[in-house]
Amino acid sequence: MAMLFRGFAVQITLAIMNPAEPRYDINGEEPRLAGQRLVAFFLEHFYEGRQITNQVNVAHLCFGEQWYRLYFECATVFWRKSERPGLAENSGLEYGLLLNDLSGMASVVGQTVERVTYAATESGDVRVNFAFANGKGLQFSYDCASDSTLLDG
């Protein structure tokens, strides 16, 4: 729709949102990763007793010299610039964090990102998909009801 105000043409774009489309928010600055090479990859797991209850508490991804943390809450994807992760320090065996260095995962580490896509459900579940130039990918799927994230890749 174009409008004329005192001799100036102003273009106004009306965005029509699909109310049936689930919504999610990105908290933090989303990095522009298309064309970037993944050089290191760590997962931070959360365990309770002898069981891992959250496969991906935080994903640590390094592109070039820059590290990023990727994590989730209901209907929210968090991106943070960070440093290389250090070992998790826990105070007991009942629960805690485990750091898993997956930098040897040649299917994605050393590969170039083609695109990153996001999806959500009405219940607050969110998904982030990384597609790499070699045809491989990583999919982080957050389940709002269980407050946990799984990785397929």
Side-chain angles (χ1 to χ4, degrees), residues 73-75 121 123-126 142-148:
E73 284 184 5
C74 292
T121 66
S123 62
D125 299 347
V126 289
Y142 175 79
D143 180 76
C144 189
S146 65
D147 189 24
S148 65

Side-chain angles (χ1 to χ4, degrees), residues 7-120:
F8 295 97
V10 177
Q11 183 71 32
I12 298 174
T13 304
L14 298 175
I16 299 173
M17 297 191 59
N18 181 354
E21 186 176 305
R23 304 281 304 155
Y24 63 89
D25 292 315
I26 295 180
N27 184 301
E29 186 176 331
E30 178 186 4
R32 302 292 173 223
L33 299 177
Q36 300 291 316
R37 190 169 65 90
L38 179 63
V39 297
F41 177 40
F42 288 69
L43 289 181
E44 196 174 294
H45 309 294
F46 185 80
Y47 71 89
E48 294 179 78
R50 296 180 182 205
Q51 186 173 27
I52 292 177
T53 56
N54 190 357
Q55 185 186 27
V56 185
N57 190 57
V58 179
H60 300 270
L61 304 119
C62 185
F63 296 90
E65 299 287 320
Q66 182 61 61
W67 282 91
Y68 296 95
R69 289 181 295 141
L70 172 65
Y71 54 100
F72 306 91
E73 284 184 5
C74 292
T76 307
V77 176
F78 292 86
W79 279 106
R80 298 289 187 267
K81 286 184 178 181
S82 67
E83 301 295 322
R84 180 184 178 95
L87 292 176
E89 183 177 323
N90 299 302
S91 60
L93 297 175
E94 300 84 34
Y95 61 89
L97 298 171
L98 300 171
L99 189 64
N100 188 358
D101 183 353
L102 294 172
S103 297
M105 196 172 162
S107 60
V108 293
V109 176
Q111 304 300 321
T112 301
V113 174
E114 281 192 338
R115 68 187 168 282
V116 179
T117 58
Y118 301 86

